């Protein structure tokens, strides 16, 4: 791509080069010079699900194992019933969620969430065992609004999609998105929270008050 | 914002007389310090990760022009627009131009220290727009019309009763008899009020914790989720970031993320870490239609070459101020501008000029705790000393201090005179103070004895005892 003649860009870059005691661009640097340093506790593929679950729960998410894609709808319905919540929810238009959306006890709208939506179900791309984070990407099938607007954020995650570290997740995405990076990548560890009033941690600041992760086993 | 850093002494005196502030700072010290310590203890590789982060950031700064260009090219390839701002005024004008072009009325804001640095809210208000801070702490101080007093907990100086007062005054349409005694009730009210603003906003402005040269993504790290609603719902998203936020790759971002949350709040990971690249795609159901990044220099390029480059490694975790005895006593407002604590005392003179901030490098005991906890190993005490030397050279320190230092310097450079005089003073003071063990008042030592006794010397100088081979006291 040829740089547009943007005088402000040239001004700032010239000032940076003055600060670096250079007059022009340097040769492209060699980077990285060594592989990333991964903490020992985060390394390895052993027991990824147990590590992911423990870390997610430590971040105040709840985690439930679901026997397979067909069991997802009943699990969602049961979770909502147990909390006395209505069965109305926004569901991501991801085909993997079609069986769940068709469940008889749920009243479903497919699409992104609006400000009035109390409950949403979406699908994460990956889980990161080190931090218990979900990795969600924006796409027509998984709009970002579902991750932030509802009070109750339900997320389906394939058990086989749990990786050890963020570096592993990036390697996956680099492979899958060689032709173009997703517009939004959200790493979500637990529900929304704040400590801004007298340092007292409260859950449910502006985003979801609850994050429930449904780990779906493959058949 | 007009800096008040030059009156640090008077500002701190007022702070020490404010009982609510003193109480809030007491809670802060135990809370942040314990949480950080527990998180760091649980990660044996923490120090090794720091070393890696220092090397990564030094490399990035050495090639800053290269990484900024790759970042900017990637943003533009994804349909975003990059604006380069040499100073605060340029950044304000760029924001206003974008807002006007989209006919903006309500502008929501995620928490951004750069927006504070350039005084963005004032500029938006003057242009007839309504800026709404959406981070709870920032919202509180916006209602109170105050600057932040901490870089990650901006309203740390405000008690919940004061928050309730601010909410009652601002939310006049709500039932005056409502209960607002608990943090929960206050949070729920702010959540409900701000939901309207999130959806009504025409433009959303966020800062950036990181910019990724590899992909062109801008990154925000938050716990509340307000930054995500700010960048998702309005038609336009503006990212305001200073030059040094760029890192080469996503793996380098992961390295910083491992250090940031632990150093800041003691979390393993913050609730939300979000990467944004360009406007919504044609097939997307949500997201902003326009995406702008403003890259702000405002003094950073100069810091690359003026001896303060290491400060540009700062990731704004606030560990230095959380562990600083001076910050812990006087709070953030005493520092008189946007960035408080040790990092502020180094950064503020670089950004607004040492002539407007000369007392800040003095606002430190140089105890070294800030450097010990800094995840990016910034030599803060050393940099403070550099500013002290420059303030002295520019004759910005108080005349009495300069005269005293000059006299001592003259004497200390003449050992044949210095040692006998020193010994005479040690012997005389030792005799005079033998009975009480110390002095409650002493000529020329008023600064010390005003608040504590000066211990009496043992009766001899260190050098004399050392020469005699007296290794034990």
């Amino acid at each position: 791509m040829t740089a547009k003649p943007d005088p402000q860009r040239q001004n700032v870059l010239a000032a940076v080069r003055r600060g670096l005691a250079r007059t022009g661009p340097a040769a492209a640097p060699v980077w990285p010079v060594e592989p990333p340093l991964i903490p020992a506790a985060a390394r390895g593929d052993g027991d990824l699900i147990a590590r992911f679950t423990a870390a997610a729960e430590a971040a105040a998410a709840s985690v439930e194992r679901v026997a397979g894609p067909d069991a997802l709808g009943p699990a969602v319905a049961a979770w909502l019933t147990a909390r006395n919540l209505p069965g109305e929810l926004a569901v991501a238009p991801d085909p993997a969620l079609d069986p769940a959306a068709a469940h008889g006890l749920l009243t479903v709208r497919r699409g992104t969430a609006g400000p009035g939506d109390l409950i949403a179900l979406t699908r994460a791309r990956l889980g990161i065992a080190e931090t218990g984070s979900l990795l969600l990407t924006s796409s027509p099938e998984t709009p970002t609004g579902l991750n932030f607007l509802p009070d109750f954020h339900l997320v389906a995650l394939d058990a086989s999609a749990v990786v050890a570290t963020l570096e592993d997740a990036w390697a996956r995405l680099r492979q899958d998105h060689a032709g173009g990076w997703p517009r939004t990548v959200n790493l979500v560890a637990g529900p929304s929270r704040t400590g801004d009033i007298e340092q007292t941690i409260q859950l449910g600041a502006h985003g979801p008050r609850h994050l429930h992760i449904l780990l779906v086993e493959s058949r | 914002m007009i800096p008040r850093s030059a009156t640090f002494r008077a500002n701190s005196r007022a702070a020490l007389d404010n009982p609510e502030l003193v109480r809030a700072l007491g809670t802060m010290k135990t809370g942040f310090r314990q949480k950080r310590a527990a998180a760091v203890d649980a990660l044996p590789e923490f120090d090794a990760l720091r070393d890696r982060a220092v090397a990564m950031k030094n490399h990035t700064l050495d090639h800053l022009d290269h990484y900024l260009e790759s970042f900017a090219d990637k943003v533009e390839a994804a349909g975003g627009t990059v604006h380069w701002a040499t100073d605060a005024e340029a950044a304000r004008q760029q924001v206003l131009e974008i807002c006007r072009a989209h006919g903006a009325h309500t502008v929501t804001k995620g928490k951004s220290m750069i927006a504070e640095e350039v005084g963005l809210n004032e500029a938006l208000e003057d242009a007839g727009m309504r800026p709404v801070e959406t981070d709870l702490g920032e919202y509180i101080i916006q209602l109170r019309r105050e600057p932040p007093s901490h870089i990650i907990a901006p309203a740390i100086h405000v008690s919940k009763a004061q928050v309730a007062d601010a909410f009652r005054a601002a939310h006049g349409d709500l039932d005056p008899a409502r209960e607002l005694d608990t943090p929960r009730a206050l949070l729920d009210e702010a959540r409900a009020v701000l939901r309207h603003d999130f959806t009504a906003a025409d433009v959303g402005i966020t800062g950036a914790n990181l910019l990724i040269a590899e992909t062109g993504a801008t990154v925000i790290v938050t716990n509340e989720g307000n930054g995500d609603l700010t960048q998702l719902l309005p038609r336009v998203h503006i990212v305001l970031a200073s030059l040094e936020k760029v890192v080469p790759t996503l793996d380098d971002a992961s390295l910083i993320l491992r250090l940031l949350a632990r150093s800041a709040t003691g979390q393993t990971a913050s609730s939300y870490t979000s990467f944004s690249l360009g406007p919504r795609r044609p097939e997307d159901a949500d997201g902003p239609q326009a995406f702008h990044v403003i890259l702000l220099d405002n003094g950073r390029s100069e810091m690359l070459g003026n001896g303060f480059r290491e400060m540009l490694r700062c990731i704004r975790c606030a560990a230095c101020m959380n562990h600083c005895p001076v910050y812990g006593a006087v709070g953030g407002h005493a520092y008189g501008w946007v960035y408080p604590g040790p990092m502020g005392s180094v950064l503020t003179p670089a950004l607004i000029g040492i002539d407007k901030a000369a007392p800040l490098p003095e606002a430190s005991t140089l105890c070294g705790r800030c450097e010990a906890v800094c995840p990016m190993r910034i030599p803060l005490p050393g940099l403070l000393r550099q500013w002290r030397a420059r303030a002295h050279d520019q004759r910005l320190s108080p005349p009495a201090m300069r005269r005293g230092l000059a006299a001592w310097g003259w004497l200390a450079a003449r050992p044949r005179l210095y040692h006998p005089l020193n010994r005479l003073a040690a012997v005389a003071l030792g005799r005079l103070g033998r009975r009480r063990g110390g002095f409650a008042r002493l000529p020329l030592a008023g600064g010390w004895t005003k608040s504590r006794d000066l211990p009496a010397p043992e009766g001899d100088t260190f050098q004399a005892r050392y020469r005699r081979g007296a290794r034990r006291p």
Side-chain angles (χ1 to χ4, degrees):
Chain A
M1 197 177 143
T2 47
K4 278 175 272 174
D6 175 352
Q8 279 157 333
R9 173 171 170 145
Q10 295 319 317
N11 284 346
V12 171
L13 288 170
V16 166
R17 288 175 187 134
R18 264 199 307 282
L20 293 168
R22 270 202 268 114
T23 47
V30 179
W31 190 261
V33 290
E34 53 191 337
L37 172 63
I38 309 294
R43 267 177 247 147
D45 291 334
D47 228 359
L48 281 178
I49 298 291
R51 274 150 56 192
F52 172 80
T53 305
E57 287 174 352
S62 51
V63 183
E64 176 182 354
R65 300 189 69 164
V66 178
D70 297 338
L72 186 60
V76 169
W79 192 84
L80 296 177
T81 310
R83 274 150 199 84
N84 244 344
L85 290 166
E88 279 164 47
L89 66 163
V91 176
D94 184 327
L97 300 178
D98 289 351
H103 189 271
L105 288 178
L106 301 176
T107 311
V108 164
R109 204 194 64 247
R110 304 300 289 272
T112 190
D117 282 306
L118 184 67
I119 306 158
L121 171 66
T122 187
R123 186 155 171 259
R125 286 282 292 279
L126 298 167
I128 293 143
E130 181 182 358
T131 52
S133 306
L134 298 166
L135 186 152
L136 303 108
T137 52
S138 64
S139 73
E141 289 79 41
T142 49
T144 305
L146 294 164
N147 304 342
F148 296 100
L149 282 162
D151 279 21
F152 297 88
H153 186 202
L154 282 72
V155 184
L157 171 68
D158 291 343
S160 59
V162 177
V163 297
T165 65
L166 203 46
E167 285 83 349
D168 295 332
W170 299 140
R172 260 319 157 87
L173 290 192
R174 283 187 192 108
Q175 238 170 36
D176 297 354
H177 292 278
W181 209 250
R183 184 184 69 81
T184 306
V185 177
N186 296 123
L187 298 171
V188 176
S192 152
R193 72 194 68 204
T194 183
D196 272 348
I197 299 175
E198 296 196 347
Q199 301 235 297
T200 325
I201 302 295
Q202 304 283 333
L203 298 183
H206 292 294
R209 298 171 193 266
H210 298 269
L211 171 64
H212 186 60
I213 302 170
L214 300 124
L215 267 174
V216 185
E217 308 287 347
S218 49
R219 296 275 177 92
Chain B
M1 175 180 175
I2 297 162
R4 295 164 41 250
S5 304
T7 54
F8 178 82
R9 277 156 203 274
N11 305 347
S12 351
R13 221 166 284 135
L16 291 167
D17 288 337
N18 177 345
E20 280 190 315
L21 178 65
V22 171
R23 197 188 40 77
L25 291 169
T27 323
M28 177 209 81
K29 275 182 266 187
T30 48
F32 277 131
R33 288 180 196 174
Q34 284 166 3
K35 286 176 188 161
R36 176 198 170 274
V40 168
D41 288 348
L43 183 67
E45 291 89 350
F46 190 77
D47 280 341
L49 290 166
R50 291 164 90 187
D51 294 337
R52 287 289 194 101
V54 171
M56 183 274 288
K57 203 69 210 186
N58 286 349
H59 165 85
T60 311
L61 293 171
D62 285 346
H63 302 89
L64 190 59
D65 51 338
H66 169 81
Y67 288 117
L68 286 170
E69 291 212 271
S70 11
F71 166 78
D73 291 346
K74 299 256 165 47
V75 173
E76 302 204 319
T81 311
V82 180
H83 310 258
W84 302 71
T86 47
D87 57 18
E89 174 59 17
R92 285 192 297 264
Q93 288 314 318
Q94 286 161 348
V95 172
L96 291 179
E97 239 170 70
I98 297 166
C99 289
R100 286 196 193 108
H102 290 273
H105 172 66
T106 300
V107 178
T108 41
K109 289 180 65 217
K111 185 172 142 37
S112 158
M113 291 308 296
I114 300 298
E116 298 285 348
E117 179 181 323
V118 305
L120 193 57
N121 284 355
E122 263 184 298
L124 289 166
E125 282 173 4
D126 291 349
M129 287 172 249
R130 190 172 74 95
V132 182
E133 295 287 351
T134 61
D135 171 84
L136 181 59
E138 286 282 341
Y139 180 64
I140 292 166
I141 61 166
Q142 186 186 23
L143 294 182
R144 290 166 54 89
R145 303 204 73 84
E146 286 177 314
S149 74
H150 188 281
I151 61 172
I152 67 161
I156 197 159
H157 59 287
V158 187
S159 70
K160 64 176 191 258
Q162 291 172 318
V163 177
D165 291 345
F167 281 14
R168 285 187 200 285
H171 310 152
D173 47 339
L174 298 176
D175 176 10
R178 69 192 183 281
E179 183 268 336
L180 280 179
D181 298 342
T182 61
R184 182 78 248 171
L186 292 163
L187 170 60
D188 285 342
E189 179 162 320
R191 179 181 168 109
V193 169
L194 285 168
R195 270 299 159 117
H196 295 293
D197 294 315
F198 280 126
T199 46
D202 309 292
V203 174
I205 302 176
T206 66
N209 292 83
L210 298 161
L211 308 170
I212 318 276
E214 176 187 356
T215 64
T218 65
V219 184
I220 58 169
V221 180
T222 75
N223 277 313
E224 296 186 4
N226 65 306
D228 287 282
L229 292 172
T230 300
Q231 61 189 24
L232 178 75
L233 298 177
R235 285 173 286 139
V236 185
H237 176 202
I238 304 175
V239 179
L240 198 50
S242 49
L243 302 181
E244 80 280 11
K245 292 284 183 269
V246 70
V247 296
T249 69
L250 288 163
D251 293 338
D252 299 316
S254 312
L255 170 62
I256 296 287
L257 292 173
R258 281 198 183 87
L259 295 168
L260 176 60
R262 287 180 172 89
S263 299
T265 54
Q267 289 168 283
T268 311
S270 302
S271 296
Y272 302 111
T273 305
S274 297
F275 298 68
S276 303
L277 174 60
R280 81 202 280 170
R281 311 277 161 85
E283 64 281 10
D284 279 344
D286 51 23
Q289 284 145 21
F291 179 81
H292 296 268
V293 180
I294 296 173
L295 291 174
L296 175 70
D297 181 343
N298 205 30
R300 272 79 179 176
S301 59
E302 206 183 321
M303 288 172 70
L304 287 168
N306 71 356
F308 291 94
R309 187 191 294 193
E310 291 187 283
M311 191 60 217
L312 296 174
R313 290 203 301 263
C314 178
I315 56 172
R316 307 288 191 269
C317 70
C320 62
M321 60 197 73
N322 292 341
H323 292 76
C324 175
V326 176
Y327 179 94
V330 301
H333 284 163
Y335 292 80
W337 197 54
V338 175
Y339 301 100
M343 59 77 66
S345 295
V346 174
L347 192 58
T348 303
L351 298 186
I352 68 172
I354 183 66
D355 54 318
K356 293 190 186 68
L360 294 190
E362 306 288 339
S364 167
T365 63
L366 302 181
C367 73
R369 258 204 245 166
C370 50
E371 184 176 2
V373 297
C374 176
M376 302 303 288
R377 296 197 192 281
I378 299 169
L380 291 158
L383 296 176
L384 288 171
R385 258 186 229 111
Q386 264 198 63
W387 276 128
R388 288 183 184 188
R390 288 185 200 195
H392 183 84
D393 291 347
Q394 292 179 37
R395 313 178 65 80
L396 295 167
S397 43
M401 188 167 131
R402 280 204 310 283
R403 278 198 301 272
L405 279 175
W408 182 83
W410 184 87
L411 196 61
R414 287 166 179 76
R416 282 164 187 278
L417 192 57
Y418 180 82
H419 288 305
L421 277 176
N422 200 11
R423 189 158 189 186
L424 185 68
V427 173
L429 287 175
R431 294 239 170 102
L432 284 171
R434 194 179 296 153
R435 194 181 305 160
R436 275 195 68 233
F439 301 90
R441 217 176 294 160
L442 203 65
L444 298 176
W448 178 282
T449 55
K450 199 160 62 182
S451 47
R452 55 241 192 265
D453 283 1
L454 180 76
E458 293 282 325
D460 211 344
T461 66
F462 169 78
Q463 296 238 352
R465 293 166 71 107
Y466 188 81
R467 225 174 288 123
R468 284 200 307 271
R471 299 292 159 89
R472 255 179 278 159

